[in-house]
Amino acid sequence: MFRVSGRRLAAVTRSVASRRTLASSATRGVVGMEALATGSTSALRNLAVRAPLVSKRGLKQISFGGTTEPVYERADWPIEKLREYFKNDTLALIGYGSQGHGQGLNLRDNGLNVIVGVRKDGASWKAAIEDGWVPGKNLFEVEDAAKRGTIVMNLLSDAAQSETWPKLQPLLTEGKTLYFSHGFSPVFKDLTHVAPPTNIDVILVAPKGSGRTVRSLFKEGRGINSSYAVWNDATGNAHEKAQALAVAIGSGYVYPTTFEKEVLSDLYGERGCLMGAIHGMFLAQYEVLRENGHSPSEAFNETVEEATQSLYPLIGQRGMDYMYDACSTTARRGALDWYPIFKDALKPVFQDLYASTKNGSETKRALEYNSQPDYRQKLESELDTIRNLEIWKVGKEVRKLRPENN
């Protein structure tokens, strides 16, 4: 049985520094219909000065475990300010997978001028039409959308970014902005061959979650955490632009990073605690219980159901210390004794994983595998193996028994 402790969480120290009026005098690509249609350099050079914004923001500096970092919040960019800031821009969202779907719909709901670029009549094209994107109006083929956009948001898969770069790169003419949500392609450019132009702004906004979560949290009136980075600041305005786009796609708060740190932490985290390690841990615990005579139902409930439905939400809401404090004295004692053992056993594995990420091995593996012509068939086979594991077949039946599903 759980009890809720009255222990207060550690206060987060905040210091607010004043900042100058957020008025951007940097010139940006404000283009007419000719430029949108042709993407010509001459038309794109007809620049106009962005109107000054009169609202001010207070730069928040928050202490994260003793390290002070700046953060930017949704309150810094109210909807009217976003619409004014991007009023002369066409956001060309290339790709309509998980992130493209979530970010694109959020941008559209926020009232910005966004278009989608995907392969005509493919699965993504059909999905975009189902979501209300209209061919010839705000749905185009990739190259056509890139020509029309002033901000080209490259949200294709990592392998697809590498494959399409020879056609996309010439369309990134002076005055445009190139946007990523993952540092994979430019950081590992020796493998991907994606080398962004040096005469345009190149920025990144990386939501800390799937595109589905970006969309669902936005619809709930909440916001996902995101990082932002600048690869190239040609206009002197790239940082501000990235912060604004982060809020526009549905972020709640935004923190700065670099392209390299984003991709290393992302690849490392996905293979670690976010997906790979936690799946391996679930399987190991479940199998030991089953090997010792526990029923499938008991093994699943003790391994997955209690974790995801009871304990992990407490960690998400209030932290690990709170979760420990909310458990029985016996559970707490055992966890305190065993977590250092698990940490010591696992840390060498995580060190090897980070090294594999940093030296490009993980990137090489992903590109080689995901570029194979039978990639989807092989992927489906691997996913089917997971679906047919006893633990997840049991989980399917357990979820049916939840009161909300009856």
Side-chain angles (χ1 to χ4, degrees):
M1 179 178 292
F2 296 106
R3 60 181 178 80
V4 177
S5 169
R7 193 168 92 184
R8 300 179 60 188
L9 294 174
V12 178
T13 53
R14 295 173 178 254
S15 62
V16 181
S18 60
R19 186 169 171 168
R20 294 175 300 185
T21 301
L22 223 168
S24 171
S25 60
T27 59
R28 299 213 18 242
V30 181
V31 300
M33 292 305 293
E34 177 189 357
L36 293 177
T38 65
S40 65
T41 302
S42 60
L44 286 166
R45 283 177 174 167
N46 293 324
L47 302 175
V49 176
R50 189 184 296 281
L53 299 173
V54 296
S55 59
K56 296 182 179 180
R57 69 175 304 278
L59 173 64
K60 290 185 175 63
Q61 292 183 317
I62 299 183
S63 176
F64 292 100
T67 299
T68 301
E69 299 180 36
V71 298
Y72 304 87
E73 299 175 295
R74 179 185 293 167
D76 301 325
W77 289 92
I79 191 65
E80 297 80 8
K81 184 177 176 181
L82 283 175
R83 290 173 181 170
E84 172 65 22
Y85 192 84
F86 293 112
K87 68 180 181 181
N88 295 314
D89 284 305
T90 297
L91 283 67
L93 193 145
I94 309 300
Y96 202 67
S98 176
Q99 285 294 338
H101 167 269
Q103 295 189 33
L105 292 177
N106 291 355
L107 289 167
R108 189 174 73 181
D109 287 353
N110 274 332
L112 302 188
N113 181 24
V114 57
I115 61 176
V116 173
V118 291
R119 181 171 57 85
K120 189 173 183 179
D121 296 329
S124 294
W125 180 276
K126 294 173 183 176
I129 291 176
E130 290 177 2
D131 287 337
W133 303 95
V134 180
K137 178 181 178 183
N138 52 24
L139 176 60
F140 304 91
E141 294 198 65
V142 170
E143 292 176 58
D144 196 3
K147 290 177 183 178
R148 294 170 180 267
T150 59
I151 299 176
V152 179
M153 305 175 70
N154 194 343
L155 298 180
L156 293 166
S157 69
D158 296 322
Q161 287 187 19
S162 182
E163 292 168 4
T164 60
W165 184 247
K167 292 184 178 180
L168 187 62
Q169 191 275 333
L171 305 177
L172 299 170
T173 49
E174 187 176 351
K176 296 197 176 190
T177 295
L178 176 60
Y179 167 107
F180 294 97
S181 278
H182 193 19
F184 187 100
S185 292
V187 169
F188 294 106
K189 57 183 179 294
D190 290 344
L191 293 170
T192 65
H193 308 294
V194 176
T198 59
N199 63 338
I200 66 172
D201 287 348
V202 181
I203 61 177
L204 171 149
V205 175
K208 299 298 104 180
S210 71
R212 294 182 182 182
T213 310
V214 171
R215 181 60 176 164
S216 64
L217 290 180
F218 177 85
K219 291 171 70 175
E220 292 171 14
R222 301 159 63 192
I224 197 163
N225 300 340
S226 299
S227 61
Y228 88 90
V230 172
W231 179 271
N232 192 51
D233 187 1
T235 65
N237 201 38
H239 288 268
E240 179 183 87
K241 196 186 309 179
Q243 294 156 18
L245 275 171
V247 174
I249 66 163
S251 304
Y253 98 86
V254 191
Y255 61 92
T257 186
T258 67
F259 271 65
E260 183 177 24
K261 288 180 179 177
E262 187 282 328
V263 70
L264 293 180
S265 63
D266 187 77
L267 294 177
Y268 174 74
E270 290 168 346
R271 286 151 179 76
C273 289
L274 301 180
M275 295 176 67
I278 199 167
H279 190 201
M281 181 187 70
F282 281 160
L283 290 176
Q285 177 165 309
Y286 180 88
E287 289 174 4
V288 169
L289 285 169
R290 292 289 287 122
E291 290 161 3
N292 282 275
H294 295 267
S295 70
S297 174
E298 184 170 61
F300 183 84
N301 274 283
E302 286 296 333
T303 299
V304 179
E305 194 75 351
E306 186 171 356
T308 59
Q309 300 304 298
S310 179
L311 300 182
Y312 291 176
L314 292 179
I315 299 171
Q317 292 162 10
R318 302 288 293 274
M320 184 67 77
D321 56 338
Y322 180 84
M323 189 273 281
Y324 271 52
D325 217 19
C327 294
S328 70
T329 55
T330 301
R332 189 187 309 144
R333 181 68 266 146
L336 290 170
D337 288 343
W338 276 89
Y339 89 76
I341 298 172
F342 279 108
K343 191 206 85 168
D344 291 344
L346 289 171
K347 189 168 181 180
V349 179
F350 279 93
Q351 289 172 328
D352 288 345
L353 170 58
Y354 192 84
S356 181
T357 300
K358 191 171 184 178
N359 67 25
S361 296
E362 296 302 312
T363 298
K364 188 172 184 291
R365 161 72 173 156
L367 286 172
E368 289 177 351
Y369 184 86
N370 297 337
S371 298
Q372 294 174 11
D374 58 349
Y375 151 71
R376 292 195 177 277
Q377 294 93 316
K378 290 181 178 178
L379 173 63
E380 185 59 29
S381 176
E382 290 182 288
L383 293 177
D384 198 51
T385 298
I386 294 176
R387 294 186 194 105
N388 286 304
L389 289 171
E390 183 185 90
I391 183 174
W392 302 119
K393 293 174 80 172
V394 172
K396 186 176 182 180
E397 298 306 313
V398 169
R399 287 191 294 275
K400 293 178 182 177
L401 298 174
R402 293 177 188 167
E404 65 267 25
N405 293 330
N406 290 324

